Amino acid sequence: MFAASHSSKEDEESLLPNSSEKTLNTDRASRWTDNFPSFSPRAAGSQCLAFMRPSFLRKTSRASEGPDNPEAMPRKRISTEYLDGVRGVASLIVFVLHWTHTPYPSINSGWGYDEATTSFWLLPFVRVIYSGAAMVSVFFVVSGFVLSHRFIQRMHRQEHEELFSGLTSLTFRRPIRLFLPAFASSTIAFICACIGIISIPDKVDHKPFEHGLSAYVGYLDMESNPWTWDIDYSGFYNPQLWSIAVEYRGSMIIFLLLVGLAKTRTAVRLAVETLLTVHCFAHKRWDVALFIAGMFLAELEVLLEKPKNPLRRKLVDVLLILIMVLGLFLIGYPRDHSTKTPFYIWSKYVWPFTAYRRRFWLAIGALLFVGPMAFLPSVQSFFLTRPARYLGRISFALYLVHGLGNRTIGTWLIHGCWRYIGKEGSWPYAISFIVSSTLYFPIVIWASDMFWRGIDAPLTNFARSLEKMCAARKDVR
């Protein structure tokens, strides 16, 4: 039923960075198993301290770094490695938004809406650093691209047996890889609520709320429910995880399209993907449209090549960069008062004419930003730097962890800074925010690193092991 093993490139799942199994698993497992027979408090303490050491401070050989080491293996033109970096930077921007918008709610408005919104930080392009809503759109485009890229390559090579084998494996593991880490993060939040670390509100999503086991189970059900098109909920325990079920649904739509279009001609696939993308946008299903558009971009990346003529190549590069710049401009589309903001007032006169316009333009911005990257190695190189690649490795963990961190350590730090530095006046307020952010950001990165190594990576390996356990032998039906 399932292939016994798969290339690590086939594990490039959106929101779920590649886990270097040898580095994360074998090394750590051997240390634990070696010490288990001679267990002692000192050994346990040393193991805990070793685990708490961030991964970027660990000494690893170049050979052991596997696919996460940029020098360990040659990069190919068709590689999607840079998208790990894109995903990591996007996850960081989501965190920045959720951390910033409470002390500075004005970031939800565009520059020039009124006299109080003329800050430099509200200008287009500048506001990209906290445009977290747009980064969710980037996640979905990256998902569609990465989930389909390897299989589209196999379609072009007529490797249908390998295609279906890899696709069944990915389909089997996808819910495990998405939902179990999210459940673990939500369980930690539930425990924190039980012991009083986070305060419990009277209402959630404008409805009466009573914390307890039934509320927790109900949240897990809501968090993993791909059957509703209503994505306006947030929940209490991990509000930002509304996107996990949407991610799963979009993944399944991509897998269905890959199966249905596997043996069709390239022109047919492109036509179907285009029509479905337009259809989804027209029916306000911007999330599904982004997944399918990502698949369309992957098809173009496999199919097209840049012109060999140097002058034409430069012209193409300039055009692609201009498209990316336009994408960055749209990514900064403000949440509040967009049609009264000088730089975005034009959207009032362009379809769509409802509140859907924000999601629509953020989606278009994400497409225009991510799409050209496939043909711009110079831009890809930024997302292949060590910091970006590290953020890519912990991106899913950062997405899962930062919400609880904001409500606990982050809140304690900023309130402490307000108490000792002050918050009366713009300068004391800003200094308090800067100091608390400087102290808090490394803590969140560290917690995400531990969550990645302690929960996310082991669950990746659990998914692979479960797949092997459930696989039918060739001689058994």
Side-chain angles (χ1 to χ4, degrees):
M1 180 179 177
F2 301 111
S5 62
H6 302 279
S7 168
S8 62
K9 284 296 177 186
E10 289 177 356
D11 291 331
E12 291 178 332
E13 303 177 35
S14 174
L15 281 176
L16 306 174
N18 292 335
S19 299
S20 181
E21 186 173 359
K22 292 183 179 179
T23 304
L24 292 172
N25 231 8
T26 307
D27 184 50
R28 184 173 66 248
S30 62
R31 292 199 303 269
W32 280 92
T33 53
D34 289 344
N35 287 314
F36 185 78
S38 56
F39 176 80
S40 67
R42 171 179 281 185
S46 64
Q47 291 294 340
C48 288
L49 290 175
F51 174 76
M52 293 172 66
R53 186 189 311 154
S55 61
F56 55 81
L57 296 180
R58 295 165 179 262
K59 293 182 179 180
T60 55
S61 65
R62 179 175 297 180
S64 68
E65 289 183 5
D68 288 327
N69 180 9
E71 298 179 5
M73 57 185 298
R75 295 193 189 95
K76 299 180 181 180
R77 183 186 66 84
I78 58 175
S79 172
T80 58
E81 279 184 84
Y82 71 95
L83 290 174
D84 278 340
V86 173
R87 184 171 45 210
V89 173
S91 188
L92 179 65
I93 291 175
V94 172
F95 162 49
V96 170
L97 170 68
H98 291 161
W99 168 245
T100 308
H101 81 96
T102 298
Y104 286 101
S106 61
I107 66 172
N108 293 314
S109 300
W111 183 92
Y113 162 66
D114 56 25
E115 294 181 358
T117 56
T118 56
S119 169
F120 167 79
W121 302 104
L122 300 180
L123 286 168
F125 301 109
V126 178
R127 59 185 301 113
V128 169
I129 62 174
Y130 54 79
S131 296
M135 295 304 108
V136 175
S137 295
V138 169
F139 284 145
F140 293 164
V141 177
V142 170
S143 296
F145 191 107
V146 176
L147 290 173
S148 60
H149 186 268
R150 179 55 54 123
F151 301 109
I152 289 172
Q153 288 179 315
R154 287 176 172 171
M155 291 178 195
H156 282 263
R157 294 195 295 262
Q158 301 290 310
E159 297 174 350
H160 296 120
E161 184 177 349
E162 292 84 354
L163 184 153
F164 290 124
S165 177
L167 193 56
T168 55
S169 173
L170 198 56
T171 304
F172 181 90
R173 289 182 286 121
R174 190 63 170 169
I176 302 171
R177 291 288 291 113
L178 277 172
F179 292 129
L180 291 192
F183 287 171
S185 174
S186 299
T187 301
I188 296 173
F190 172 73
I191 294 172
C192 289
C194 288
I195 60 180
I197 294 180
I198 57 177
S199 58
I200 301 169
D202 295 327
K203 289 187 176 182
V204 174
D205 296 334
H206 309 292
K207 299 176 183 178
F209 177 76
E210 184 176 349
H211 166 68
L213 184 60
S214 60
Y216 165 68
V217 174
Y219 175 79
L220 294 186
D221 176 67
M222 180 175 63
E223 181 181 84
S224 58
N225 178 16
W227 313 119
T228 176
W229 292 104
D230 181 12
I231 56 175
D232 294 330
Y233 66 83
S234 58
F236 166 66
Y237 299 104
N238 251 338
Q240 78 276 12
L241 299 193
W242 63 268
S243 63
I244 300 300
V246 180
E247 174 77 22
Y248 177 69
R249 180 174 61 223
S251 302
M252 294 302 107
I253 291 172
I254 289 298
F255 297 157
L256 179 62
L257 284 174
L258 288 170
V259 172
L261 300 175
K263 295 187 177 182
T264 61
R265 297 192 301 273
T266 301
V268 174
R269 287 198 300 273
L270 290 173
V272 171
E273 291 157 8
T274 301
L275 290 173
L276 285 176
T277 300
V278 173
H279 187 266
C280 290
F281 271 130
H283 287 273
K284 301 184 180 181
R285 294 276 34 107
W286 58 274
D287 50 324
V288 177
L290 288 171
F291 276 91
I292 301 174
M295 180 177 174
F296 177 85
L297 292 173
E299 189 87 54
L300 292 182
E301 197 275 345
V302 174
L303 186 64
L304 300 180
E305 291 185 0
K306 279 189 176 182
K308 295 182 179 180
N309 182 283
L311 179 59
R312 291 184 178 180
R313 190 180 185 90
K314 287 183 179 180
L315 290 175
V316 170
D317 285 347
V318 170
L319 177 62
L320 292 175
I321 290 173
L322 290 175
I323 292 173
M324 286 192 68
V325 171
L326 177 58
L328 284 173
F329 173 76
L330 292 176
I331 280 174
Y333 195 88
R335 189 190 75 180
D336 299 334
H337 316 298
S338 55
T339 57
K340 298 179 182 179
T341 299
F343 293 100
Y344 299 98
I345 195 171
W346 53 267
S347 63
K348 181 179 180 180
Y349 308 101
V350 183
W351 186 91
F353 301 105
T354 64
Y356 170 58
R357 63 163 59 92
R358 174 172 174 258
R359 282 297 183 184
F360 175 78
W361 289 115
L362 291 180
I364 297 299
L367 285 172
L368 296 180
F369 177 68
V370 175
M373 284 190 206
F375 307 97
L376 291 172
S378 58
V379 177
Q380 293 179 19
S381 63
F382 171 79
F383 295 102
L384 288 168
T385 57
R386 283 199 166 194
R389 290 168 64 82
Y390 174 73
L391 287 174
R393 287 193 291 272
I394 68 168
S395 59
F396 191 45
L398 177 59
Y399 190 77
L400 297 177
V401 164
H402 78 268
L404 179 60
N406 289 354
R407 291 190 286 172
T408 54
I409 299 174
T411 299
W412 302 336
L413 284 173
I414 196 167
H415 281 274
C417 288
W418 282 341
R419 189 181 308 113
Y420 290 103
I421 300 175
K423 63 176 181 177
E424 300 298 329
S426 58
W427 279 107
Y429 193 91
I431 293 172
S432 296
F433 178 75
I434 292 171
V435 171
S436 59
S437 300
T438 303
L439 296 172
Y440 176 51
F441 275 43
I443 295 174
V444 171
I445 298 297
W446 174 50
S448 302
D449 190 291
M450 290 192 292
F451 189 95
W452 167 54
R453 290 180 287 111
I455 296 178
D456 188 27
L459 287 176
T460 302
N461 299 316
F462 168 74
R464 294 192 185 102
S465 300
L466 184 62
E467 178 192 7
K468 292 178 181 179
M469 291 172 56
C470 297
R473 297 193 303 271
K474 291 184 179 182
D475 58 339
V476 178
R477 292 187 178 181

